[in-house]
Amino acid sequence: MNNLADIALAIDRADSVLICGHVLPDGDSLGSMLALGLALEKLGKKVTMGGADRVPAIYGFLPGVDRYVEGAPPAGEYDTFIVLDCSVPERLGKGYQEMLSSGVVVINLDHHAGSKSFGTYRYIDPAAAAVGEIIFDLFNLMKVDISLESAICLYTAIVTDTGSFQYENMQPDTHRRVAELLELGVPAAQINQELYEEKPKAVLDLLGLALGTLSLSPCGRVCWMTVTRKLLNISGAEDEHTEGLVNYARSIRGVQVGILFRETEGGDFKISFRSKGTVDVNRLSAMFGGGGHPRASGCVMSGNLADIQEKIVSAAVLAAGGINN
Amino acid sequence: MNNLADIALAIDRADSVLICGHVLPDGDSLGSMLALGLALEKLGKKVTMGGADRVPAIYGFLPGVDRYVEGAPPAGEYDTFIVLDCSVPERLGKGYQEMLSSGVVVINLDHHAGSKSFGTYRYIDPAAAAVGEIIFDLFNLMKVDISLESAICLYTAIVTDTGSFQYENMQPDTHRRVAELLELGVPAAQINQELYEEKPKAVLDLLGLALGTLSLSPCGRVCWMTVTRKLLNISGAEDEHTEGLVNYARSIRGVQVGILFRETEGGDFKISFRSKGTVDVNRLSAMFGGGGHPRASGCVMSGNLADIQEKIVSAAVLAAGGINN
């Protein structure tokens, strides 16, 4: 483990930098990558940014997002590889994971509590609500003037990874950093509109249909929704649009565990768990070969939906202490 | 118009204080009232808090909420009447409005841009995202140590009136005040859970049914939902649970105006407008005898639903510049 000053020095020495986040990129991995990449470019470095998976449409407004190269890392003579928001090498995705053993200097910046330590330089701060906060502090340490473009990217990183400043990962200093970003001119309301108010109608149609499947266990502690291929077809929504649906199941009074059953293209079922209270859904999903975090986890199962739901819901009710209710 | 120091002095002189917010109390009016009331009590003043309407269930967790007296103001010898978050005297509600002419010192603290100036002392700051921010500054000016209870109330005031820090009313200093509140021990994640993750199942059932009525104008700029008494009955939801539904209509890509048609108990239709772009929905609702703000307004109409929708949607499409699409 290094301190942030070591990281700043290592970045200072770099000339040609490759930066990536994780597979299925989110607001924090993309925002942190673009903020850092745009800033390093202004410092005269050659910067390449990309990732194995495509950028979700809602992040299309991010400054510099057109610089993101999708797929394998572009051929190039890199001396430094910066990895953001990746708890394990596997999250780097195809092509990027191989870069770890290519002999370049690897700088690993992350905030996941269970992060696996890898890289030449490693800075992992589980107290940071977003990697965007780490980049913010790094900029201050490096005495980088934060451009409006980078500030917009950092705001997006923080607002998305904190659920609009609502999650447990919020620290007083998170709000203070955001205050400074707003002072740099970040149009916060406009960004929130881009993120949360520009949905394809199919997403809301899917939400309506999915809410129609809401089921509550007799004890009231477990609530689940089901999205079949049929529901996706009727609504015209895509798999990525199911993200966040599970939160609706959790948002009901008294519910301890919210579950989403989603049929995959291959006919399996992807099961997402969200815990509101003290139930460790990481342990719950591990019973079915899955994993994740205590509050958010998932697993994949094959077979008959009714059988799968029976097994999963029974286990969830048990975990939520509701067996005899 | 007074400055905050005048207000602090006027409060300092008070012995027996009545505090109220507005009718249909929300997080800002309740949180500000309770934060202030609990603090003044600690300063040795006799404090009565209340309002014409009942407290919505989601605010049941607020410290001191059991002190809220619903209905007419309790009989008492008040020397000072503090009014919070009320843009016009009518918003005080029955019983409280009459207090304005009772001869007591009236202190009016508000943040509405179009606030009508009334009261012996008046402090109206449209730059404040919430009245909770004004109370926070007042506490600092009065050198009041903010108790955890008051801090929880102020956090709730700010988080609810800024749509979780997302609205245009956010200022850098709003985030800084929130940072200080978190440092006082405010359990932010827990409060957000109370506010947004403890809904009656009927609310989500209603949302699902309402989303099934989503309609988009051919030009794509106007989107509306319809909640009839039948939908409310099927879901078991109550009128207050329709709050926020209109935001779903607005959240679709390309939509400029979101509309909710809600059938009232009396068989009329309450129409809510939300603007995302430049459309002034205050003007739009004024065409039908209603009013509000440029971004959020409403009106009430009687008659046949299809006729009403035809009229309202046509006007909205015209206002959104979509007439020929």
Side-chain angles (χ1 to χ4, degrees):
Chain A
M1 182 75 174
N2 300 94
N3 60 38
L4 214 46
D6 299 334
I7 305 295
L9 283 175
I11 288 178
D12 194 46
R13 281 192 292 269
D15 282 318
S16 180
V17 183
L18 176 66
I19 314 180
C20 90
H22 54 69
V23 289
L24 300 172
D26 61 10
D28 189 24
S29 75
L30 286 170
S32 296
M33 176 198 301
L34 295 168
L36 181 60
L38 295 174
L40 295 189
E41 213 155 50
K42 287 207 174 163
L43 294 177
K45 299 177 194 301
K46 191 169 179 310
V47 173
T48 305
M49 299 181 270
D53 293 331
R54 73 181 176 84
V55 175
I58 59 161
Y59 301 116
F61 73 92
L62 283 174
V65 74
D66 52 310
R67 297 286 310 280
Y68 180 95
V69 182
E70 182 187 325
E77 292 293 317
Y78 307 111
D79 53 58
T80 306
F81 177 36
I82 305 179
V83 176
L84 303 171
D85 203 25
C86 274
S87 51
V88 290
E90 292 72 31
R91 296 269 292 159
L92 279 163
K94 217 168 138 47
Y96 284 91
Q97 197 181 333
E98 287 74 4
M99 289 291 300
L100 294 180
S101 49
S102 68
V104 300
V105 172
V106 176
I107 300 175
N108 175 1
L109 301 177
D110 190 27
H111 71 131
H112 289 92
S115 191
K116 193 172 161 186
S117 201
F118 64 89
T120 324
Y121 295 90
R122 307 155 187 187
Y123 183 81
I124 294 142
D125 178 10
V131 172
E133 291 201 89
I134 298 173
I135 305 295
F136 180 93
D137 290 351
L138 187 64
F139 284 165
N140 281 338
L141 201 67
M142 293 171 72
K143 302 201 189 308
V144 165
D145 282 330
I146 303 179
S147 69
L148 176 56
E149 291 186 327
S150 282
I152 288 171
C153 293
L154 292 181
Y155 178 88
T156 303
I158 297 170
V159 77
T160 55
D161 241 35
T162 58
S164 298
F165 315 111
Q166 289 185 37
Y167 296 163
E168 286 184 355
N169 57 6
M170 281 302 299
Q171 305 290 334
D173 281 344
T174 312
H175 279 290
R176 292 199 177 93
R177 291 182 183 97
V178 172
E180 290 192 44
L181 293 174
L182 295 194
E183 264 160 4
L184 291 170
V186 168
Q190 197 181 317
I191 292 172
N192 284 299
Q193 187 170 302
E194 292 281 0
L195 290 171
Y196 306 117
E197 301 263 310
E198 293 290 343
K199 298 184 182 119
K201 180 165 179 290
V203 172
L204 293 177
D205 291 338
L206 176 66
L207 173 60
L209 293 170
L211 287 170
T213 74
L214 263 185
S215 305
L216 203 55
S217 64
C219 64
R221 299 186 188 186
V222 177
C223 184
W224 64 99
M225 289 160 87
T226 310
V227 174
T228 57
R229 298 314 295 178
K230 191 179 159 193
L231 240 60
L232 284 166
N233 290 339
I234 295 173
S235 62
E238 293 167 40
D239 286 293
E240 74 179 59
H241 297 145
T242 59
E243 209 192 298
L245 283 181
V246 64
N247 296 324
Y248 286 89
R250 187 185 53 182
S251 74
I252 292 175
R253 188 185 295 159
V255 167
Q256 299 294 307
V257 180
I259 308 176
L260 175 70
F261 295 89
R262 175 168 72 80
E263 189 178 357
T264 67
E265 266 187 295
D268 292 334
F269 287 90
K270 196 174 175 316
I271 300 141
S272 305
F273 300 93
R274 292 292 181 279
S275 167
K276 185 159 61 184
T278 51
V279 180
D280 181 346
V281 291
N282 188 21
R283 286 180 61 182
L284 187 58
S285 62
M287 292 167 59
F288 300 97
H293 302 277
R295 293 272 186 143
S297 67
C299 64
V300 177
M301 289 177 79
S302 306
N304 174 278
L305 176 59
D307 293 343
I308 292 171
Q309 291 190 321
E310 160 69 26
K311 275 183 206 158
I312 294 279
V313 171
S314 300
V317 167
L318 194 64
I323 186 167
N324 292 319
N325 296 58
Chain B
M1 182 74 174
N2 300 95
N3 60 39
L4 215 45
D6 299 336
I7 305 296
L9 283 174
I11 288 178
D12 194 45
R13 281 191 292 268
D15 281 321
S16 180
V17 184
L18 176 66
I19 314 180
C20 90
H22 55 70
V23 290
L24 301 174
D26 61 10
D28 189 23
S29 75
L30 286 170
S32 296
M33 175 197 303
L34 295 169
L36 181 60
L38 295 174
L40 295 188
E41 214 156 48
K42 286 205 174 165
L43 295 176
K45 299 177 194 301
K46 191 171 179 308
V47 174
T48 304
M49 298 180 271
D53 294 330
R54 73 181 174 85
V55 175
I58 59 161
Y59 300 116
F61 73 92
L62 284 174
V65 74
D66 53 308
R67 298 284 309 281
Y68 180 95
V69 181
E70 182 186 324
E77 293 293 318
Y78 308 111
D79 54 57
T80 306
F81 177 35
I82 304 179
V83 176
L84 303 171
D85 202 26
C86 273
S87 51
V88 290
E90 292 74 29
R91 296 268 293 157
L92 279 163
K94 218 169 138 46
Y96 284 91
Q97 197 181 332
E98 288 74 1
M99 290 290 301
L100 295 180
S101 49
S102 67
V104 300
V105 172
V106 176
I107 300 175
N108 174 2
L109 301 177
D110 191 27
H111 71 131
H112 289 92
S115 191
K116 193 172 161 184
S117 203
F118 63 91
T120 325
Y121 295 90
R122 307 156 188 186
Y123 183 81
I124 293 141
D125 178 10
V131 172
E133 290 201 88
I134 299 173
I135 304 296
F136 180 92
D137 291 350
L138 186 65
F139 284 164
N140 281 338
L141 199 69
M142 293 171 72
K143 302 200 190 308
V144 166
D145 283 330
I146 304 179
S147 69
L148 177 56
E149 290 185 329
S150 282
I152 287 171
C153 294
L154 292 181
Y155 178 87
T156 303
I158 297 170
V159 77
T160 55
D161 242 33
T162 58
S164 299
F165 315 111
Q166 289 185 38
Y167 296 163
E168 285 182 357
N169 57 6
M170 281 302 299
Q171 304 291 335
D173 281 345
T174 313
H175 279 290
R176 293 200 177 91
R177 291 181 183 99
V178 172
E180 290 191 44
L181 293 174
L182 294 195
E183 264 159 3
L184 291 170
V186 168
Q190 197 181 318
I191 291 172
N192 284 299
Q193 187 170 304
E194 293 281 359
L195 290 170
Y196 305 116
E197 302 262 311
E198 294 290 343
K199 299 183 181 118
K201 180 165 179 291
V203 172
L204 292 178
D205 291 338
L206 176 67
L207 172 59
L209 293 170
L211 286 171
T213 74
L214 262 187
S215 304
L216 203 56
S217 64
C219 65
R221 299 185 189 188
V222 177
C223 184
W224 64 98
M225 289 159 85
T226 311
V227 173
T228 57
R229 298 315 295 176
K230 192 179 159 193
L231 240 58
L232 284 166
N233 290 338
I234 295 173
S235 62
E238 292 167 40
D239 286 294
E240 74 179 56
H241 296 147
T242 60
E243 209 191 301
L245 283 182
V246 65
N247 295 325
Y248 286 89
R250 186 184 54 181
S251 74
I252 292 175
R253 188 186 295 161
V255 166
Q256 300 294 309
V257 180
I259 307 175
L260 175 71
F261 295 90
R262 174 167 73 79
E263 189 178 358
T264 67
E265 264 186 298
D268 292 334
F269 288 91
K270 196 173 177 314
I271 300 141
S272 305
F273 300 92
R274 292 291 181 279
S275 167
K276 185 159 62 185
T278 51
V279 181
D280 181 345
V281 292
N282 189 21
R283 286 180 62 182
L284 188 58
S285 62
M287 291 167 59
F288 302 96
H293 304 276
R295 293 272 187 143
S297 68
C299 65
V300 177
M301 289 177 79
S302 306
N304 174 278
L305 175 59
D307 293 342
I308 292 172
Q309 291 191 321
E310 159 70 25
K311 275 184 206 157
I312 294 279
V313 171
S314 300
V317 167
L318 193 63
I323 186 167
N324 292 319
N325 296 59

